[in-house]
Every structure is written in structure tokens, then in C-alpha cells.
Amino acid sequence: MEGEDVLKATITSIEFTNEVLSVKGQTDFAIEQDAIISLRKRDDEYVKYNWKESSITMHVSDRIFEFQCSMNKLDFILENNLTDRDVWDFFLKQGTDVIFLTVEDGLSFTANYIQLKHPLFKTKPYITGKKGLSLFVVQNDIQAIVEKEKFTAGTYAVAIKLKSATIENKWQELTASLLLKRREQKGFFEYYEEKKLELFYNENLYTASVDLEALFKDYSLNSCDLLWDLFIELSYGSNNVHIPVSSKNQNTFGYHILRTKPLHKVKPISDNQLKTLCITSLKVNAAFSETTFNDNIFWFKGSVSSSEIDIEKFTEPELYLVLKKRNHYNKYVVFAVEKQIKIQLEGRQFQGSIDVSDMLAAEHIKDNDVWDIFVRFVPNHHGGIDSHVIPDSTLGQIRTQYETMKSNSQFKLKPYVNAMGKFSLLFRDVKKAVNPIKVAVFGSCYCRSAFNSISFFNPDYKNYYNCVYTQFHSSVISIMSKPVPLDETKLASLNSKQKEFIRCDFDKGFFERLKSAQPEYLLMDFFADASRNLIKVNDDSYISISHILDETPLENELIKRNEDILSHKNNDDYFEIWKEAIDRFIDQIQTIIPQERIILNLGRFTDRYYDSEGNVVRFPEYRQRIIARNNYLWDKLNHYLISKLPKMKIIDLTNKNLIGQYNHPLGLSPAHYESAYYKEFLNELNQLVMKDFITNKTAGNEEVGQKVEAATR
């Protein structure tokens, strides 16, 4: 509202019959004869009124007023550029005073929407939450649905049917156009540009044929995806509405490579039920096969490849290494700043180096800044294609240390492979950052998900911990058996990190990798041992049947070739084999890390979860039996290890009354807990390392003491 109203005007009676609103009220001041009722359009975005107003004559007698407002005579509203969900508030106005009309407590009335003379809008009166009287103007319910579509040689032909209960058979009274609106983020519907195209009306269908070659001929394109959503613009008089076009059939079209923009392709898609033209660059993949980082110099060697472009056919292609500063605009990743340097390309191979400190010397750096590393392929000076660099399959795990930035000693930096499996640079404020505690994980998401930066888990964990190595979803029995040959061509559906997990389970190189990673703590859980089966390849070799292996054709091939499955149908037999393996595991692990630095998470499966309404729900009965069986074995495995390693540390969340969560980022499962589980896990870990801090501080180990102290602040 506009300021504090000193004068009061109260509505004491409201009736709404035959589309006429009849109102009576009283004031605490004398009403002048020239006073009027004013309808003023509210601007909710700025919480004010935009001074568009219209007047209604009222009858006054001393401090009593009354007026009528006919919904059929709201022509003045039509002159004010209607938009969906307009609100018009009632005021009493005399002289320079504008007094908000307040509805007396206890008054109410019901009203259905009334069609305005304008065919695209309807309105109804209502009492607002602030006890005011208002008119609510909304757009009529109109649907635009694709009935037919065809995409051939870059031409998109579409036939769209409009449906509305209030406008039926009046479509020809409206002017219609096809409107394309550009946005740049999937899931974010902020539009930056429009293109209006001609529509034709025939037999209740609006049709258009769009030559996308011509449409985007003079348009500047880059490596970012562009999304052009389809709308129907309907106009009547000075007002119009935009109806999003949806598709009832999920047609799948192949991309068309634009002849005038040969590095880009386009096709119609359905995104969030909207019909959309998606323009994207052709794909070029870039991977590092070797890297070093020393004295702020990042040296690299790698290759580029593409299934869409014959890279070697270009006579003078150029290649650039590009650093892009990652920013978050309302949770969306945006690269607003970039630095590039030309590197040498021979065939498909490239190598080069950058002085990161010199390259970013003039840039504003702050704690936890991330600069992502891209390669830009520029064929014959014709645009460019950016590819976020990944490690190739031969590179192995990246273990770089922080170095002080020579051009800005306030910060440390290092290259690393981020959570998406792609190369980035991370900057830390020296005053805020302590070298994080290095941890390794032998287990599953029960331990590993605590070291995940999304909000559901622990967004700030990297300030204090560095997960230097993970052996994921492998059974102790598998790790302690002999290596098995791996056909990696069967892993095409997996990402690089998933492939590494499978590779580790096959080559049995856990201890070598752990020793190389030099963790300060090893975190363990027995999820895989308590619940997953193994394939017995021969008397000396086993393979863990993990959830990751499930996603590949390799699992079925292995099972067909090796019919002997070590399952949990007889857990007494399973336990005997497991004991022999864990005994050897215990002997070998203590040559790398003392038992005082081994932490066992006493995980267990939950039999309950929170649903979308916050209710506690039990998993189905058939799962309850499996949950109980697996938890019994899990406890048995835990207690055996504890008896063998009495100085080992323990995290026990089984008594915290934590349960599952319907919208867990990894899916609903008895193994996936509510967010509090992972935060409490990190809290328990902090408390354990705090005890070590006291010990190490007493022993004079200040470096370890500082790191642990930082982790427990």
C-alpha cells in the first residue's frame, strides 16, 4: 500500500449478483461530494501502484458511501495493456487523499470468473489477504498443442491446434503469429529475444513452415546451447497473450547441421513440455593423457576426437586452451570471464603449458574460485567449439598439491578433476585454507557421499577434507583375489569415474593405489559385502556385482561364462570365505596405514523413509525381509573386524533414528538416507579427528594439529 493511511474507509456490505458488485461502507471522516471510487492497478513486482486508474461514481451521505461495479462495463480495464494475473484494488479518493478500502471482519461473498468483452481475459472480484477489495484479471485458459510436425533438411513444418472453452469458434477474430523466444539455460525460463513469424489458419489449425537455415543465417552462434521456445501470440486490439506450444507426442528428430553455420546443428525437441528449437555446437572431445603442475606451470598433453567432425580434414585448424571462471547466477552456472592461449595441434594430438599465475594475474580472485579448463577447436577460422577437458583412460588419478600463486600470494591454487570428471583449477585463500585432511574410502555411499558438495550432503567439506582415493562397491573377497582381464569396450555406457571403479575391482590394485594416495585416514563400510553377490571366475578370482557393473553388458557376459555365483542365500558359507579374505586384508592394510587411522562406519539398511508429505513410510514387506537379512550379516562383519582391530575408530549412526528420504539425489533406497545422515557422519568424523588433534598437539605435530583444528571449527 502507499504509505500509512490516516483516514479510514470500511466496507460494511458486499453483494455480487448478476455480474454486478454492490458495495456499501462508512468512513471516519466527512466525504466530499466530488469524491470517487478509484480502481488502481497494482504492480506486485515493485509492491506499488503504477498509477493506472479508473473512476467509479459513488453515492455519499455524510459518512456513508455506496457504489456499483458492473463486470460488463469494465471497458476502462481494456485500455490498460492487460496482462495475466492483473490486480486492481479499490480506493476512495477525494482531493489529494487516496484511502484504501478495508473490508469489515466477517464479510464474505463468492464469485465466479466473468468473461470480459475482451475475448482473451476474464475477471472476478475478491477479498484480499489484507482485507481489501480487488478485481483479479486473468488470461482465459488456452492451450496450443502440436497436432502435426515434420523436420526435413532444416525446415520445420508444424500444425498447431488451439483449444479454449471460452473462445471456441472465435479464433478468426484474433490475430495470430508464431513467436520464438530465446533462453540460454535449461530449466530457467528467462527470455532475451523474440522472433515473430507468420502463421496460417486453415481448418481449425494454425500452420507454419520455418526455414531454420534462413532464420539463423545472420545469427551469431557460440558453444552455448540456445533454446528457442515456441509460442502462439494472439492479439486483440492493443492487447496480446503468449500461449506456450506443447506437444502431446514426444517425436524424436535427428539434428540438422546448418550449412551456413557448419559447426552448429539444430532440431526441434520437447523441453519441460515446451516445444523448443535447440541449437548446439557439434561435439569435439578433449582429453589430457599427461599433466604436471610445478611452479604455477600447468603442462599437459592430450588429444581431441569427434564422431561428428573429421578433425584432420581441416588444413589449418587452430586449438586454444581456455580458462573460464565459473559463476553461479541464481544456482545456474555461467561463464562470464575467460582467458585463452593458442596451443599446438598436430593431427589429433596436442600439448602445451600455461603459467596460471601469469595468465590470471589481472583477474579478481576470491576463496574457492573455480576456473574450468576447456579446449577450443577453431577449424579454418570458422567459429569455434569448446570442450571441457576430461582425463583419458590412461591418465589415472590426479594428485596435485596446492601452490602459492606467484602473482597474488594471498591465494593457493591447484588443478584437479572435479565432481563431474572434468579438469578445473581451484583457488583458496591462504589465510582461510589449511591443506585439507586426506581421506580414502573403501566402501560405498555410506562413507563417500559425505564428501559430496551438493547441498543435500556437505557443501563445504572440501575446506577441510580431500578424498584422495575411493574403492567403490567392491567386496573384500574380490579385492583380495587374483586379477581378472577386463574388456573395457563393454563399459561404453559408463563415465570415466565409473570405469575407474570397475577397473579397480578387476585389477585388484587397491593397496598400490592406496599407498600412492597417502591418506591420513581410511574410511570403511561393508555395504558391498553385506548385500551384493560376487561372480566366481575361478578358484582364485572373484568380481563384485556392483550397481555400476549392473549398468553394462559385461555383467551378463561374465555370469554366462562363470555360472558360479557367491550369493547371500547361505550367509554362513559366505562369512567363512569373507573371514579368510578379511584376515589377509587386515595384515596388508596395516603396512600402509595404522589401525588408529582406520575408521569403520557401522552402516545398516533403513526400513523406513520420509515421503513427499513428510510422513514416515515403511518399505514394502518383501524388502523388509532382505533388509533384516542384510543388516544381520552387516553387524556380524562389523564385529569381526572390530575384534581384529581393537584400536580402530568407529562411527556409529545406527542409534540416531535417521531414515531414508524420498527425494535422495541418488534415488529412493534402503541404502540412501535423509540429508541429516551425511551431515552427522561428517560431524562424527570431526569429533574423531579432534581427539587426534589433542594427541598430535601434545606430541608436537603442529601441521596435523592445525588441519584437524580447521576441520572441527
Side-chain angles (χ1 to χ4, degrees):
M1 303 308 157
E2 291 189 344
E4 296 288 337
D5 288 325
V6 178
L7 305 177
K8 292 185 179 180
T10 305
I11 294 174
T12 57
S13 172
I14 304 176
E15 291 184 4
F16 186 66
T17 56
N18 298 324
E19 301 182 8
V20 175
L21 183 68
S22 301
V23 178
K24 296 180 181 179
Q26 61 186 25
T27 65
D28 63 355
F29 57 89
I31 306 175
E32 299 174 3
Q33 290 299 313
D34 60 352
I36 58 171
I37 294 297
S38 174
L39 265 169
R40 303 177 71 187
K41 186 178 179 181
R42 190 194 303 174
D43 187 341
D44 278 334
E45 182 173 358
Y46 298 102
V47 195
K48 67 176 186 179
Y49 294 92
N50 61 10
W51 296 101
K52 291 180 179 178
E53 61 180 308
S54 297
S55 302
I56 299 174
T57 302
M58 68 173 174
H59 303 285
V60 300
S61 175
D62 191 19
R63 299 189 176 193
I64 305 298
F65 65 88
E66 60 180 289
F67 65 89
Q68 289 187 331
C69 179
S70 173
M71 301 295 110
N72 291 325
K73 296 181 179 179
L74 293 176
D75 295 343
F76 56 86
I77 289 182
L78 307 185
E79 301 170 0
N80 284 278
N81 295 323
L82 290 175
T83 56
D84 191 28
R85 306 182 71 82
D86 280 349
V87 177
W88 290 74
D89 293 326
F90 286 85
F91 291 83
L92 189 153
K93 182 178 180 181
Q94 62 177 23
T96 59
D97 293 322
V98 180
I99 302 99
F100 180 67
L101 294 186
T102 303
V103 178
E104 191 174 62
D105 287 343
L107 284 185
S108 65
F109 68 96
T110 58
N112 295 322
Y113 280 106
I114 305 300
Q115 181 63 46
L116 292 169
K117 290 182 179 179
H118 195 301
L120 298 175
F121 292 92
K122 57 187 177 183
T123 188
K124 73 173 181 179
Y126 75 109
I127 298 173
T128 71
K130 293 186 177 181
K131 292 294 183 179
L133 181 62
S134 303
L135 293 177
F136 192 40
V137 179
V138 297
Q139 178 182 307
N140 279 322
D141 297 326
I142 306 171
Q143 291 179 293
I145 301 172
V146 173
E147 291 288 314
K148 303 175 185 176
E149 58 181 339
K150 187 177 181 180
F151 185 54
T152 307
T155 297
Y156 180 52
V158 61
I160 301 167
K161 186 175 182 62
L162 294 181
K163 296 182 179 181
S164 173
T166 55
I167 306 180
E168 294 293 349
N169 303 319
K170 298 180 181 178
W171 299 113
Q172 289 178 294
E173 299 178 14
L174 307 171
T175 301
S177 302
L178 181 64
L179 200 64
L180 302 182
K181 295 187 180 186
R182 177 177 66 84
R183 58 187 166 97
E184 296 178 356
Q185 293 278 1
K186 285 191 174 182
F188 185 53
F189 297 89
E190 176 75 10
Y191 294 105
Y192 305 97
E193 185 180 358
E194 295 180 356
K195 291 179 179 290
K196 188 178 290 190
L197 305 173
E198 191 173 10
L199 272 178
F200 299 93
Y201 184 77
N202 183 36
E203 297 181 354
N204 297 323
L205 288 176
Y206 288 94
T207 61
S209 182
V210 186
D211 183 349
L212 302 185
E213 289 281 359
L215 188 66
F216 298 114
K217 179 180 179 181
D218 299 321
Y219 199 83
S220 178
L221 299 175
N222 54 32
S223 289
C224 298
D225 289 353
L226 291 182
L227 302 167
W228 291 83
D229 294 338
L230 272 64
F231 289 80
I232 299 290
E233 181 182 81
L234 295 175
S235 302
Y236 183 86
S238 62
N239 295 297
N240 60 61
V241 298
H242 294 169
I243 312 299
V245 177
S246 62
S247 179
K248 61 183 180 181
N249 298 317
Q250 297 296 320
N251 294 321
T252 301
F253 296 108
Y255 276 107
H256 168 75
I257 297 176
L258 294 167
R259 293 186 298 276
T260 56
K261 308 285 184 181
L263 298 183
H264 290 83
K265 56 187 179 179
V266 62
K267 72 174 180 178
I269 65 170
S270 291
D271 181 43
N272 202 33
Q273 298 184 333
L274 273 178
K275 202 66 195 179
T276 301
L277 299 177
C278 177
I279 303 177
T280 188
S281 63
L282 303 183
K283 302 302 179 187
V284 171
N285 304 310
F288 288 152
S289 57
E290 297 180 47
T291 65
T292 61
F293 182 60
N294 183 47
D295 197 29
N296 288 194
I297 305 296
F298 181 56
W299 177 87
F300 49 86
K301 183 178 181 180
S303 62
V304 290
S305 61
S306 176
S307 61
E308 298 181 316
I309 298 175
D310 185 355
I311 291 173
E312 297 183 66
K313 80 173 183 179
F314 296 99
T315 54
E316 296 181 359
E318 295 179 344
L319 199 68
Y320 296 84
L321 189 85
V322 185
L323 302 182
K324 297 186 181 184
K325 186 176 183 179
R326 190 193 303 174
N327 294 298
H328 291 86
Y329 294 179
N330 191 32
K331 299 182 180 180
Y332 293 93
V333 174
V334 175
F335 298 108
V337 179
E338 68 175 47
K339 294 285 185 178
Q340 72 173 27
I341 185 170
K342 190 174 182 180
I343 57 178
Q344 190 65 37
L345 175 66
E346 294 184 5
R348 298 187 180 187
Q349 307 300 312
F350 65 84
Q351 69 176 28
S353 64
I354 58 170
D355 184 331
V356 178
S357 176
D358 181 65
M359 200 168 178
L360 302 181
E363 297 301 318
H364 176 73
I365 305 292
K366 64 181 187 299
D367 191 40
N368 278 322
D369 268 357
V370 174
W371 288 71
D372 291 327
I373 302 176
F374 290 80
V375 161
R376 177 170 294 157
F377 179 71
V378 184
N380 298 355
H381 308 285
H382 205 306
I385 301 173
D386 291 355
S387 175
H388 200 163
V389 185
I390 63 172
D392 78 2
S393 59
T394 66
L395 184 58
Q397 193 161 359
I398 306 302
R399 299 186 182 93
T400 52
Q401 300 297 319
Y402 281 105
E403 292 184 0
T404 300
M405 189 175 181
K406 291 187 295 183
S407 60
N408 188 347
S409 60
Q410 180 184 346
F411 295 95
K412 301 188 304 182
L413 73 147
K414 71 171 183 178
Y416 75 109
V417 176
N418 62 36
M420 301 300 292
K422 300 176 181 180
F423 272 95
S424 300
L425 295 168
L426 177 62
F427 292 80
R428 295 302 316 274
D429 189 321
V430 173
K431 295 179 181 179
K432 295 181 180 179
V434 178
N435 285 331
I437 297 167
K438 294 192 293 183
V439 299
V441 171
F442 179 89
S444 67
C445 55
Y446 280 84
C447 290
R448 187 60 179 86
S449 287
F451 306 103
N452 187 314
S453 296
I454 70 173
S455 60
F456 190 90
F457 300 112
N458 291 300
D460 300 325
Y461 89 87
K462 287 184 180 179
N463 292 344
Y464 315 115
Y465 295 100
N466 179 16
C467 192
V468 294
Y469 176 54
T470 300
Q471 184 79 37
F472 201 60
H473 282 208
S474 285
S475 166
V476 171
I477 296 172
S478 172
I479 291 304
M480 299 310 299
S481 69
K482 296 293 180 65
V484 176
L486 173 62
D487 181 359
E488 293 200 21
T489 63
K490 306 295 184 181
L491 307 181
S493 61
L494 303 182
N495 61 40
S496 59
K497 185 171 290 187
Q498 291 171 322
K499 290 177 182 177
E500 181 68 13
F501 293 147
I502 296 297
R503 191 179 300 118
C504 292
D505 192 75
F506 274 70
D507 68 21
K508 319 304 181 188
F510 166 70
F511 295 104
E512 290 79 6
R513 292 185 178 93
L514 184 68
K515 186 175 182 178
S516 177
Q518 298 182 321
E520 294 162 88
Y521 291 91
L522 173 64
L523 303 170
M524 297 179 61
D525 69 74
F526 290 137
F527 163 83
D529 304 86
S531 63
R532 302 296 293 181
N533 298 334
L534 295 102
I535 301 170
K536 185 177 181 181
V537 179
N538 53 55
D539 288 341
D540 298 318
S541 299
Y542 290 87
I543 291 298
S544 305
I545 306 180
S546 66
H547 293 295
I548 302 170
L549 191 63
D550 281 344
E551 299 175 11
T552 72
L554 183 58
E555 181 196 16
N556 287 332
E557 291 184 17
L558 285 167
I559 291 173
K560 287 179 181 178
R561 293 202 305 263
N562 310 280
E563 296 182 359
D564 195 353
I565 302 297
L566 181 58
S567 73
H568 290 279
K569 292 181 179 178
N570 187 331
N571 274 338
D572 283 344
D573 291 345
Y574 185 97
F575 183 62
E576 291 304 313
I577 298 172
W578 183 86
K579 276 199 306 181
E580 189 275 332
I582 197 69
D583 285 344
R584 289 188 290 116
F585 181 94
I586 290 168
D587 291 339
Q588 197 161 346
I589 199 68
Q590 290 183 94
T591 66
I592 300 172
I593 190 165
Q595 61 174 292
E596 294 88 349
R597 294 295 181 90
I598 299 174
I599 302 174
L600 178 65
N601 179 15
L602 304 183
R604 65 188 295 108
F605 295 93
T606 179
D607 60 357
R608 297 168 297 151
Y609 65 94
Y610 291 112
D611 68 10
S612 59
E613 303 297 324
N615 301 312
V616 176
V617 180
R618 283 175 59 84
F619 283 102
E621 191 59 35
Y622 76 92
R623 301 191 80 174
Q624 296 290 337
R625 294 191 296 273
I626 297 173
I627 290 169
R629 181 202 70 186
N630 290 347
N631 282 340
Y632 184 88
L633 177 60
W634 200 333
D635 288 342
K636 191 173 183 178
L637 305 179
N638 286 338
H639 288 293
Y640 185 84
L641 183 63
I642 293 168
S643 71
K644 293 289 185 175
L645 295 175
K647 295 181 181 179
M648 178 180 61
K649 293 177 172 62
I650 294 171
I651 291 178
D652 183 3
L653 303 182
T654 60
N655 58 355
K656 299 289 186 179
N657 197 32
L658 297 166
I659 64 174
Q661 182 77 21
Y662 80 97
N663 62 343
H664 190 287
L666 302 178
L668 176 62
S669 162
H672 295 157
Y673 277 74
E674 59 186 290
S675 176
Y677 179 95
Y678 309 97
K679 301 182 191 309
E680 182 60 26
F681 178 92
L682 206 63
N683 179 59
E684 294 273 340
L685 177 60
N686 290 342
Q687 298 309 311
L688 290 175
V689 296
M690 175 58 86
K691 292 178 182 179
D692 281 350
F693 164 60
I694 297 170
T695 302
N696 286 309
K697 190 173 183 180
T698 303
N701 191 336
E702 294 299 325
E703 181 183 356
V704 175
Q706 288 175 3
K707 293 166 73 171
V708 177
E709 185 176 34
T712 53
R713 285 181 188 139

